[in-house]
Amino acid sequence: MRLGYLGLCLIAMLLSACVNTPNKNIASYDKNAKQVYPPIGFFISHPSAELNQQCLQFADDSLMQHCQINQFNASLYWQQLHESGLFENVRFATEGSDYQVLVSTANMSRETAADITKAALAGATLLLVPVSNEFTIKAEVTVLWRDVVLKRFDYDVSFSHTMSLFHEPEDGARNFAQTLISYFLRDAEQQHIFSGAFLLAALQDSDYIQQLKAPQQLLDFHLAGQHIFNDPLAGTQLRYTNADYIDDYIDVFVYPIRRTNWQDQSAVLQEELDNTRKEIELFYRQQNRKLTLHAVNTISWLHHQQQFSGGYFEASIDDTEPQPSSTYLFIAGDKFIKLRCTFGASHAEVLVKNLLPGLTVPDESLFMAKLRQRYR
């Protein structure tokens, strides 16, 4: 009798030692990405029409076949997205984020004689002997931007459920969520799903990588990089830096005019210059720094046999020593060209004049054409 008791204890110890077996199905992705993904809202959603029909058909084919939709707790997926550390924020079932990530699952399982035998064994041994069931669950992960579908991923994910005294009931579901989200994060990384370039391509907006042409060098300034914003109305940003003066740089912003008509270019320019001045004032006010904004000056340049019309203004940050800066604004096609220089207009003007003839902006995009037509 004593040996039987010791034997049960030994079995229990061996079984409990196996409970924390690591999940071997996790996909590999960069957990230390240099650029944090934008905020997302996470939701559980109903499956696509195709998967829903497949689920219904599977259950109708046999009394021994069952299909469960979204059977796992939504917080398990949210936890994996949140703990990845890749997103600026992960909001759970709340609106307000441009990006949304939707998860839906369909568990199509067959009840076999072996499953019935396993259940009987589990009851007979009072769950001392672990009983496992393994099957595949179909999952969909959909990424949206402002309710526009950007991409849907379809997965077949292995699910293992173990019944025993030494296994938590949620272990299988937790491992499933961990596996599914790892697949999604791997594919999102490989396909750059949360990049500005992917967004603009999916929306059929301007291709600022291929169609925007800009000089590689402006006198002592060199093109250091380009950033595409996760918003089609924000466009793209180029930065020119000076190797000899690290505090001197020029930011060039190219973005669409938020109007259906801009024939009166002087009025449109003035309105955008006013908006820009308000943005700068708000930025420095939030930093509790005193700023002096100077009057707007109009520009009409004939340079390299081209006519350039626009406006500019200077600003001074009133710290211990005044730090001048200058902002220029022009129109090309259906785009604004805005330049912010960390130095005054006396130094900036020659650089701006060198930039403009070599800058070619994309034509009006299909996205903006449809958007403007809708507002008209």
Side-chain angles (χ1 to χ4, degrees):
M1 190 74 169
R2 181 176 175 80
L3 286 174
Y5 175 75
L6 290 174
L8 286 174
C9 288
L10 179 61
I11 291 173
M13 291 173 63
L14 291 173
L15 292 174
S16 62
C18 300
V19 170
N20 295 321
T21 303
N23 188 352
K24 297 180 180 179
N25 297 319
I26 298 176
S28 177
Y29 59 90
D30 186 2
K31 297 179 175 61
N32 299 302
K34 295 179 181 178
Q35 186 173 355
V36 177
Y37 296 151
I40 61 170
F42 169 74
F43 300 86
I44 292 293
S45 72
H46 200 71
S48 64
E50 298 91 337
L51 182 55
N52 188 58
Q53 181 59 37
Q54 188 178 350
C55 179
L56 294 173
Q57 186 63 52
F58 182 86
D60 287 343
D61 286 345
S62 170
L63 293 175
M64 304 298 286
Q65 295 183 173
H66 313 283
C67 184
Q68 291 178 283
I69 298 293
N70 296 332
Q71 71 181 96
F72 302 128
N73 193 316
S75 64
L76 296 175
Y77 307 110
W78 174 86
Q79 184 178 15
Q80 295 301 320
L81 290 167
H82 173 72
E83 292 182 352
S84 72
L86 294 176
F87 297 92
E88 186 177 327
N89 192 7
V90 182
R91 299 185 177 96
F92 185 37
T94 56
E95 302 290 344
S97 299
D98 286 342
Y99 283 91
Q100 298 100 39
V101 174
L102 280 53
V103 169
S104 55
T105 60
N107 176 7
M108 290 174 273
S109 59
R110 292 180 176 86
E111 191 175 355
T112 65
D115 295 327
I116 297 173
T117 301
K118 287 180 180 180
L121 177 61
T125 61
L126 301 179
L127 296 180
L128 281 173
V129 176
V131 176
S132 297
N133 290 310
E134 294 187 8
F135 39 87
T136 299
I137 295 178
K138 291 189 176 296
E140 298 173 329
V141 183
T142 307
V143 180
L144 298 90
W145 183 85
R146 298 183 185 177
D147 297 327
V148 177
V149 175
L150 301 182
K151 181 75 176 182
R152 192 186 81 190
F153 298 96
D154 299 307
Y155 299 107
D156 291 329
V157 183
S158 175
F159 172 70
S160 177
H161 176 61
T162 302
M163 295 183 296
S164 86
L165 289 176
F166 313 104
H167 288 77
E168 293 290 336
E170 284 287 311
D171 281 352
R174 189 177 296 106
N175 283 345
F176 172 82
Q178 187 180 41
T179 301
L180 174 60
I181 296 303
S182 75
Y183 289 175
F184 165 64
L185 293 177
R186 174 201 61 196
D187 293 342
E189 176 190 356
Q190 292 177 352
Q191 300 183 35
H192 308 288
I193 298 301
F194 294 102
S195 69
F198 188 93
L199 172 64
L200 298 195
L203 297 177
Q204 295 183 295
D205 197 29
S206 295
D207 184 349
Y208 291 104
I209 295 179
Q210 299 296 329
Q211 297 178 358
L212 178 65
K213 307 299 181 184
Q216 292 295 311
Q217 184 171 346
L218 297 174
L219 301 181
D220 295 332
F221 288 77
H222 298 266
L223 182 60
Q226 179 179 10
H227 175 71
I228 298 176
F229 294 98
N230 291 89
D231 185 341
L233 297 181
T236 188
Q237 172 190 356
L238 306 173
R239 172 162 288 191
Y240 289 87
T241 58
N242 190 324
D244 296 326
Y245 302 94
I246 60 173
D247 292 330
D248 286 356
Y249 56 86
I250 306 168
D251 283 333
V252 181
F253 301 88
V254 179
Y255 55 99
I257 298 170
R258 295 177 293 277
R259 276 173 166 261
T260 59
N261 186 301
W262 54 97
Q263 289 184 346
D264 186 355
Q265 292 197 1
S266 61
V268 173
L269 281 166
Q270 185 60 53
E271 180 184 43
E272 188 65 12
L273 283 165
D274 290 342
N275 291 335
T276 301
R277 290 165 68 87
K278 291 175 183 177
E279 291 173 0
I280 294 174
E281 281 184 310
L282 178 61
F283 175 78
Y284 284 102
R285 190 183 308 134
Q286 290 173 340
Q287 293 188 338
N288 293 319
R289 301 175 71 183
K290 189 176 180 182
L291 177 76
T292 299
L293 286 175
H294 301 281
V296 172
N297 298 277
T298 58
I299 294 172
S300 182
W301 290 336
L302 181 62
H303 188 62
H304 287 202
Q305 297 183 338
Q306 295 184 52
Q307 186 70 37
F308 299 100
S309 299
Y312 79 94
F313 62 89
E314 292 184 291
S316 298
I317 306 169
D318 300 330
D319 289 337
T320 53
E321 292 185 8
Q323 302 175 39
S325 66
S326 53
T327 300
Y328 291 77
L329 188 70
F330 302 90
I331 289 178
D334 76 319
K335 307 287 193 298
F336 283 120
I337 301 173
K338 181 165 62 182
L339 300 94
R340 290 182 180 169
C341 309
T342 58
F343 37 82
S346 60
H347 180 37
E349 181 174 318
V350 64
L351 294 163
V352 175
K353 285 184 175 180
N354 272 271
L355 169 70
L356 292 176
L359 190 65
T360 302
V361 304
D363 294 332
E364 182 184 36
S365 68
L366 182 60
F367 171 81
M368 286 304 301
K370 290 181 177 178
L371 186 64
R372 289 174 176 133
Q373 182 60 37
R374 191 183 311 158
Y375 276 98
R376 292 190 186 104

